[in-house]
Amino acid sequence: MIATGASALPLPDDEAGGISRDVDRFLHALLAAFTGGISPISLVQAWQDWLLHLSSSPGKQWEVHAKAIEKVARLSDFVFRCGLGMGAAAPTIVPLPQDRRFQHQAWQTFPFNAMQQAFLLSQQWWHNATIGFPGVTKRHERLVEFYSRQILDTVSPSNFPSLNPEVIDKTFKENGANFISGANNFVEDLLRLIDGKPPAGAERFRPGIEVAITPGEVIFRNELIELIRYAPMTGTVKEEPILIAPAWIMKYYILDLSPRNSLVRYLVQSGYTVFCISWRNPSSDQSGLSLDDYRHLGVMAALDEVGKATGSSRIHGVGYCLGGTLLSIAASAMARDGDHRFASLSLFAAQVDFEEPGELGLFMDESQITLIEDMMWVEGTLDQRRMAGAFQMLRSQDLIWSRIVREYLLGQRAPMTDLMAWNADSTRMPFRMQSQYLRQLYLDNDLVEGRFRVGGRPIHLEDIRSPVFAVGTETDHVAPWRSVFKLTYLLDTDIDFVLTSGGHNAGIVSEPGHPGRSYRRLSCRHADIRPDADKWANSATVTYGSWWPAWVEWLARHSGREVTADRSGAAGDLKAICAAPGAYVLER
């Protein structure tokens, strides 16, 4: 659906109309289509800020020139040592831990070692040249550094077949067949992109067939959610049920992937009655849904139905990512109004303080949000695929360039996994809600600064008295763990914080037996002094394995008696609408 005027779709709260504004919106939406939803004006302002301060700082210019001379000298010394050592020498600089582009052994032989050393030194010099300018705003400084890194990544020697020894070796061994396979991979990906199909192999992970298969049924449906109740797998269950609120930016079954890594199944097998919200994938005719609609029609409606289905007045609330943010909003409003139904709150990779949102915050300023709003005004919703470029740039080495090398130059397809297939199952966000979320939370940080209102009155996080279990992930680019850690400062209640290995998704999908998983844990009572995040992380004891058992043990301590499991699948007037995973999760 395409809007034909200001009245065609609901506008954000600062409603503005008129033909001139409509023309601007259309032009901005067209611009966003070419820039991947990224504001070029915001980027130009950052570079302008940096260049102007550089031009007026001769001392900094001298320092940058001195750094360049130093890098050239270090590279020359390395090449000289390679000559003495028959092409091998100790590196003068090593890649960052997360940089895996030069892991192949051939990168340690001449001349490839010289090329990778030259690239890494150039990368280091650009970092020196873009930070530490007095007068440049912190955001502009980080934006310039970020984009300079993105530009440099495009010219990494690992991206070029004639400069990458791994590609050269593969080509000789296969007589160039790797390029034929790579070309086939490229054509297949291009055709799938044009047809709007998911990546190759994703069709092997269908909700309700291969993934999202924990037995259950939909017991409630409104215009925004389906509520799934999972069938018990134990004879007795804890008296308090669990309600899971996943993020609306993702399909809920991230928490119910394959049976081996399903958090939902793990909870049910641990003796809990589990309910999960499945958000509808909104279309343009739902563009007027607000953030409060998501609270009211989502969390609050689900709470009411869970109470009807179980007869329990105490419920464990679980929120993941934006679902955790929404759950915190709902819990704050409930605490303010004397509603004490939450027996506990568990918040996974969920932010409430958006002052330091990580590199994702680089894409959030007035210019950027206005561009996104104008794009949504035309389409009615924001498709996750519209912003895919921005998310991929946060990990461009892994998600863009390494993939190009592996699949198109080496001709190797990475095996599709359930998590990768889920990630490609994109969703949309309605115009009004997304605008309110970006402005009130990301841009203005209203929630922690006491300006966020529910029902016309402000809410305060410190009103929450339910015990809280919060999880941050070490390499999270969406909800950085230090930002999540702020929950320990903001909540005036008992709180356990877990920092687990992995990223935003993989760190949460961390089933027992998962190789390489570990976590650190902090337990604070409401009157305890909260430690500094980095000091705590550096001194905390590392426990190897999944954090799931520790969480379930924590839930058990905040649960009451065990009762006989209800296997009827419904209670009172509630009847099963359909089997899990329901209909909303299948909407495209």
Side-chain angles (χ1 to χ4, degrees):
M1 172 178 169
I2 302 296
T4 57
S7 61
L9 290 173
L11 296 175
D13 294 334
D14 58 337
E15 302 208 9
I19 296 177
S20 61
R21 181 68 181 102
D22 294 351
V23 171
D24 290 344
R25 287 191 176 102
F26 276 116
L27 290 176
H28 293 166
L30 183 63
L31 174 65
F34 286 99
T35 64
I38 296 172
S39 170
I41 296 174
S42 178
L43 181 57
V44 168
Q45 288 175 334
W47 282 102
Q48 183 184 49
D49 190 5
W50 174 74
L51 283 170
L52 287 174
H53 283 88
L54 174 62
S55 64
S56 61
S57 304
K60 185 65 175 180
Q61 292 177 30
W62 177 85
E63 179 183 327
V64 169
H65 287 141
K67 288 285 187 181
I69 295 171
E70 176 203 351
K71 307 302 184 202
V72 171
R74 289 171 63 185
L75 180 62
S76 300
D77 174 69
F78 176 78
V79 173
F80 177 74
R81 288 187 288 112
C82 282
L84 296 178
M86 301 297 292
T92 189
I93 184 174
V94 295
L96 295 173
Q98 66 270 23
D99 188 350
R100 297 186 290 270
R101 289 172 292 187
F102 306 112
Q103 286 186 332
H104 194 274
Q105 185 60 36
W107 282 108
Q108 309 309 317
T109 60
F110 195 82
F112 305 110
N113 54 0
M115 288 188 290
Q116 61 108 329
Q117 289 289 286
F119 174 77
L120 293 174
L121 287 168
S122 299
Q123 192 176 53
Q124 189 182 66
W125 179 81
W126 267 105
H127 176 76
N128 298 146
T130 53
I131 65 170
F133 281 84
V136 179
T137 66
K138 289 297 182 183
R139 184 180 177 279
H140 285 168
E141 182 179 84
R142 294 177 62 225
L143 199 60
V144 169
E145 192 276 334
F146 175 81
Y147 275 101
S148 65
R149 188 168 10 110
Q150 302 303 312
I151 295 170
L152 277 176
D153 282 344
T154 66
V155 296
S156 168
S158 60
N159 299 339
F160 299 92
S162 60
L163 303 180
N164 188 324
E166 186 176 5
V167 176
I168 294 172
D169 181 60
K170 185 83 167 178
T171 303
F172 275 107
K173 286 181 178 179
E174 298 188 0
N175 296 317
N178 54 303
F179 291 128
I180 297 175
S181 299
N184 290 334
N185 291 342
F186 176 78
V187 171
E188 181 181 17
D189 290 347
L190 181 61
L191 292 176
R192 284 177 173 270
L193 180 64
I194 293 173
D195 293 340
K197 294 181 179 179
E203 62 275 2
R204 298 196 303 271
F205 298 95
R206 296 164 294 179
I209 302 176
E210 291 86 13
V211 293
I213 59 174
T214 302
E217 54 196 17
V218 175
I219 63 167
F220 173 76
R221 177 187 291 156
N222 61 24
E223 60 267 41
L224 187 58
I225 70 166
E226 287 181 332
L227 181 64
I228 301 171
R229 175 177 179 163
Y230 292 95
M233 296 184 181
T234 55
T236 60
V237 294
K238 295 296 183 182
E239 187 176 20
E240 296 84 359
I242 294 174
L243 171 63
I244 301 175
W248 56 85
I249 198 174
M250 57 178 70
K251 297 290 181 71
Y252 86 89
Y253 67 92
I254 176 67
L255 299 175
D256 185 27
L257 288 171
S258 304
R260 63 175 177 79
N261 60 3
S262 168
L263 180 60
V264 168
R265 181 179 289 264
Y266 184 78
L267 288 171
V268 175
Q269 291 176 335
S270 298
Y272 289 89
T273 303
V274 179
F275 296 80
C276 187
I277 293 173
S278 175
W279 299 102
R280 190 172 191 178
N281 200 2
S283 58
S284 57
D285 60 359
Q286 294 176 297
S287 62
L289 286 170
S290 68
L291 187 57
D292 196 60
D293 287 330
Y294 273 71
R295 180 194 66 86
H296 177 67
L297 297 174
V299 173
M300 301 310 297
L303 272 173
D304 291 342
E305 298 305 320
V306 170
K308 293 178 185 178
T310 63
S312 176
S313 61
R314 302 284 286 166
I315 299 167
H316 294 299
V318 179
Y320 181 20
C321 186
L322 298 183
T325 307
L326 185 65
L327 194 66
S328 300
I329 291 172
S332 299
M334 291 167 65
R336 179 199 65 187
D337 299 336
D339 185 342
H340 304 297
R341 279 181 287 176
F342 279 130
S344 73
L345 292 174
S346 297
L347 307 175
F348 303 156
Q351 296 179 98
V352 294
D353 185 338
F354 291 82
E355 183 181 2
E356 298 176 302
E359 288 187 333
L360 189 60
L362 297 177
F363 301 98
M364 296 302 163
D365 61 9
E366 187 64 44
S367 175
Q368 178 65 63
I369 291 177
T370 298
L371 186 71
I372 294 174
E373 286 176 340
D374 291 347
M375 181 168 58
M376 292 190 294
W377 180 85
V378 171
E379 299 181 1
T381 60
L382 178 65
D383 195 311
Q384 190 185 51
R385 287 172 292 190
R386 285 286 196 180
M387 298 301 294
F391 281 99
Q392 288 182 337
M393 279 196 294
L394 298 179
R395 295 176 54 203
S396 61
Q397 292 176 10
D398 293 333
L399 300 182
I400 300 177
W401 302 112
S402 293
R403 178 173 175 266
I404 289 174
V405 171
R406 181 181 65 251
E407 298 194 359
Y408 303 153
L409 299 184
L410 296 174
Q412 300 171 346
R413 277 286 196 201
M416 180 61 64
T417 65
D418 50 9
L419 187 58
M420 293 167 61
W422 163 85
N423 193 55
D425 196 358
S426 61
T427 56
R428 296 176 294 272
M429 285 72 71
F431 175 22
R432 190 180 211 79
M433 181 282 300
Q434 188 67 5
S435 176
Q436 291 173 337
Y437 161 69
L438 292 176
R439 287 191 174 278
Q440 292 183 257
L441 298 181
Y442 247 107
L443 193 61
D444 297 334
N445 209 16
D446 284 348
L447 182 57
V448 298
E449 295 184 10
R451 294 187 298 270
F452 196 93
R453 292 176 176 268
V454 173
R457 294 183 293 149
I459 60 172
H460 304 283
L461 292 166
E462 56 267 29
D463 290 341
I464 296 174
R465 292 294 180 267
S466 304
V468 173
F469 191 97
V471 180
T473 61
E474 290 179 356
T475 57
D476 200 327
H477 291 78
V478 179
W481 76 264
R482 291 174 182 82
S483 183
V484 177
F485 188 85
K486 290 184 178 181
L487 284 164
T488 63
Y489 307 137
L490 296 168
L491 297 176
D492 189 17
T493 186
D494 295 350
I495 181 168
D496 281 55
F497 178 82
V498 162
L499 176 60
T500 181
S501 57
H504 186 69
N505 297 321
I508 302 302
V509 184
S510 182
E511 71 281 1
H514 192 295
R517 285 289 178 254
S518 62
Y519 66 92
R520 285 163 279 183
R521 183 174 180 178
L522 170 70
S523 296
C524 292
R525 305 287 69 81
H526 74 278
D528 291 347
I529 302 296
R530 272 43 170 177
D532 173 79
D534 289 303
K535 288 183 179 179
W536 166 77
N538 291 332
S539 62
T541 300
V542 176
T543 302
Y544 293 95
S546 169
W547 57 269
W548 288 9
W551 176 48
V552 168
E553 180 272 331
W554 180 88
L555 283 173
R557 285 195 285 110
H558 293 91
S559 299
R561 63 191 178 93
E562 292 194 349
V563 297
T564 302
D566 179 7
R567 301 184 181 278
S568 66
D573 296 330
L574 295 178
K575 304 298 181 184
I577 298 172
C578 63
Y584 284 175
V585 74
L586 303 177
E587 293 181 342
R588 295 290 182 260

